[in-house]
Amino acid sequence: MSGTPSSSQLITNEQELERLFRAGYNRWVEDAKKRLGEDSLGAAPRVVSKVFHLAWTDRSRFHSQEELDAFLGANIQHQAAREQSRRASAHRMDAKGGEHKEHEHAEMSIDEAWDRLSHTLQGGTPEAYRKRASSARHEAAEHMANLGKEKFNWKPVAAIGVVGVSIALGIYFYVDSAGADRAIQHALAAQDVRPIESSYGQMAKIGLDDSTVVLLGPESKLTVPKMFGIELRAVKIEGTANFDVTRTPAQVLQQAFEVRSSNVVIQAKETSSFTVRRFKDDNVVIVHAKRGPIDVRAGENTRNLPEGSAIKIDSAGTMEVPTSEEVAEASTWVDGKASILGKDLRDALPQLKRWYGLDILVQDQSLLNRKVFINADITSKKAAIAAVEQSGGLRFTYIGENMAFQDTLPRGRRTKR
């Protein structure tokens, strides 16, 4: 977020987290109940515990109670929406005669809620996640058994021979894969998706239900389908985001985590961390595998991206290795640096607004051709402005109430640059 935080960190240990948890528990449970509805007796405390767990994992960012409250409020809204989707799915299964039954427990006391959260902080697995993972595995096994019984007759294949079996299997899995791809496209385009958007100079950390942590860059939009973590593990990004994917022993549905950006599909089958960038004014998608291998697909082209490597993909699906400058511009923001390297000032100005919320006027149009180089702390507007001044031979000033860049030399004394 924009603004200059205090130097003192609000949450430094579990004792401080417990104090804040107990102080705000009743207020946040009431907030969660309002969002969940009247039948949320046991769900609201779980939502609050999950959100405080997210706050603990991201504790270094909080320097005031106001910053913490803003984070808790936004994530309670998100987690409540996830809980409603999960409950709706369970009701649909019951209506279809499935054996999935969910019994709501009595509302937890503040002591019980803290014990649950403390157990999670020590590496324990919340009951709801274990139950859902077990249910998902049972459904997947039942689904595969039904496929074997109803959808595929092996007797004609046996008569064909080994070559025929290979061809038939190839067709079967191609059709199955194509069906899954269409299902994801449909889910991401549905009216009931949950869009999470950031504005200029803002970033947000989002915890998804499969334990994936998303750091959403400024001027970006993350689309999460309603059934994420229940029937699929796919999201869409417009702008930029970093994804930290953790493979758990009971991973939901045993599916790869998938990100879609423009015409590109990125899949993470193991623990990994990767950055994806494509803003509206970009003509390529850039993917940087920071940790762990990932698979990148565009049309018929597929590339396995090992740890530490990057790829860029144009609208035709052509893949090539990006320059070091392109990789830096796409991914250094995750580590707290904004990189704008060797750009004309006209192209750098929108990025200054994107990363720093700076809307700067340039009256002299000839200055827009100046090359500028920025590699500045993402929280320091002053450092970004100083980098533009130094690299572009410019000076920062005000024209009335408007911020502006001007030449360092008066108009009559300029030399050709």
Side-chain angles (χ1 to χ4, degrees):
M1 298 292 180
S2 59
T4 304
S6 165
S7 59
S8 59
Q9 186 174 314
L10 183 65
I11 306 173
T12 56
N13 53 50
E14 288 188 28
Q15 290 73 27
E16 188 61 26
L17 179 71
E18 181 178 2
R19 183 188 70 78
L20 293 166
F21 179 83
R22 290 181 179 276
Y25 178 76
N26 291 332
R27 175 165 63 98
W28 292 118
V29 166
E30 288 304 314
D31 183 47
K33 284 181 179 179
K34 291 176 182 177
R35 299 180 186 281
L36 288 163
E38 295 181 356
D39 59 344
S40 59
L41 187 63
R46 292 200 305 271
V47 167
V48 173
S49 294
K50 173 70 178 292
V51 169
F52 268 89
H53 187 203
L54 292 172
W56 170 254
T57 62
D58 202 22
R59 57 190 178 277
S60 63
R61 69 182 285 186
F62 304 118
H63 301 274
S64 69
Q65 185 68 49
E66 290 74 17
E67 289 179 334
L68 177 62
D69 287 348
F71 175 89
L72 295 173
N75 278 276
I76 281 177
Q77 181 179 8
H78 173 66
Q79 294 300 328
R82 297 301 308 134
E83 177 68 16
Q84 287 177 318
S85 294
R86 185 188 66 79
R87 292 167 64 86
S89 177
H91 290 322
R92 283 196 295 272
M93 290 175 62
D94 288 344
K96 292 179 180 178
E99 297 187 9
H100 175 88
K101 299 290 181 183
E102 183 167 329
H103 303 284
E104 194 69 89
H105 299 287
E107 183 173 338
M108 287 184 283
S109 68
I110 188 170
D111 290 332
E112 291 172 329
W114 172 253
D115 286 343
R116 181 181 186 276
L117 176 56
S118 179
H119 175 71
T120 305
L121 296 178
Q122 300 304 320
T125 305
E127 311 90 319
Y129 185 84
R130 286 202 302 268
K131 189 194 313 183
R132 188 178 63 185
S134 175
S135 175
R137 289 195 300 273
H138 174 74
E139 293 167 30
E142 186 178 82
H143 176 65
M144 293 305 294
N146 289 336
L147 284 177
K149 292 176 182 178
E150 301 174 7
K151 293 189 177 182
F152 202 85
N153 185 356
W154 289 95
K155 292 182 180 180
V157 177
I160 298 173
V162 175
V163 175
V165 169
S166 299
I167 295 172
L169 283 174
I171 294 172
Y172 173 76
F173 287 116
Y174 174 80
V175 171
D176 186 61
S177 175
D181 187 72
R182 286 194 299 272
I184 290 172
Q185 290 181 22
H186 178 75
L188 289 170
Q191 294 295 317
D192 58 1
V193 297
R194 281 177 300 282
I196 303 170
E197 298 185 64
S198 60
S199 187
Y200 304 111
Q202 294 182 331
M203 293 191 294
K205 183 168 282 190
I206 303 110
L208 301 180
D209 277 2
D210 65 344
S211 298
T212 297
V213 177
V214 184
L215 181 60
L216 186 66
E219 202 182 358
S220 298
K221 177 181 177 182
L222 179 72
T223 300
V224 183
K226 184 177 182 180
M227 303 309 293
F228 181 91
I230 300 172
E231 294 181 358
L232 49 80
R233 295 180 69 212
V235 298
K236 182 171 69 175
I237 182 64
E238 300 167 67
T240 188
N242 186 79
F243 301 87
D244 281 315
V245 183
T246 302
R247 183 177 177 82
T248 64
Q251 189 152 69
V252 180
L253 299 183
Q254 299 296 319
Q255 291 181 341
F257 176 76
E258 186 169 303
V259 176
R260 300 199 170 201
S261 177
S262 184
N263 60 323
V264 178
V265 177
I266 304 103
Q267 285 191 334
K269 300 176 182 177
E270 302 293 339
T271 296
S272 59
S273 178
F274 59 95
T275 305
V276 182
R277 167 175 167 148
R278 188 187 185 279
F279 289 96
K280 292 179 180 178
D281 53 353
D282 293 334
N283 54 18
V284 295
V285 177
I286 295 182
V287 183
H288 181 207
K290 305 184 72 175
R291 174 168 54 89
I294 56 177
D295 292 329
V296 180
R297 186 179 84 243
E300 299 297 320
N301 298 326
T302 301
R303 187 80 58 88
N304 178 263
L305 208 58
E307 181 174 318
S309 58
I311 199 78
K312 69 176 180 180
I313 310 98
D314 64 18
S315 58
T318 303
M319 299 183 180
E320 61 182 55
V321 177
T323 65
S324 58
E325 290 82 7
E326 288 173 322
V327 175
E329 290 183 5
S331 63
T332 57
W333 67 272
V334 179
D335 301 315
K337 293 281 188 180
S339 295
I340 307 171
L341 305 175
K343 300 291 186 183
D344 289 344
L345 182 59
R346 64 167 43 85
D347 297 320
L349 289 174
Q351 296 200 54
L352 284 172
K353 185 173 182 179
R354 173 179 298 151
W355 296 108
Y356 297 96
L358 292 168
D359 198 355
I360 302 180
L361 173 69
V362 178
Q363 288 185 327
D364 185 346
Q365 298 296 295
S366 67
L367 300 181
L368 296 175
N369 297 322
R370 298 276 180 93
K371 297 290 184 184
V372 297
F373 294 80
I374 303 170
N375 185 27
D377 191 309
I378 207 162
T379 64
S380 177
K381 298 178 182 180
K382 183 178 179 180
I385 290 171
V388 174
E389 288 181 310
Q390 183 176 1
S391 62
L394 302 164
R395 67 185 181 93
F396 177 77
T397 187
Y398 278 87
I399 300 176
E401 296 183 353
N402 298 314
M403 294 180 288
F405 282 126
Q406 294 181 338
D407 202 346
T408 53
L409 296 176
R411 180 177 295 273
R413 295 178 55 194
R414 288 184 199 167
T415 58
K416 186 175 181 181
R417 291 182 63 86

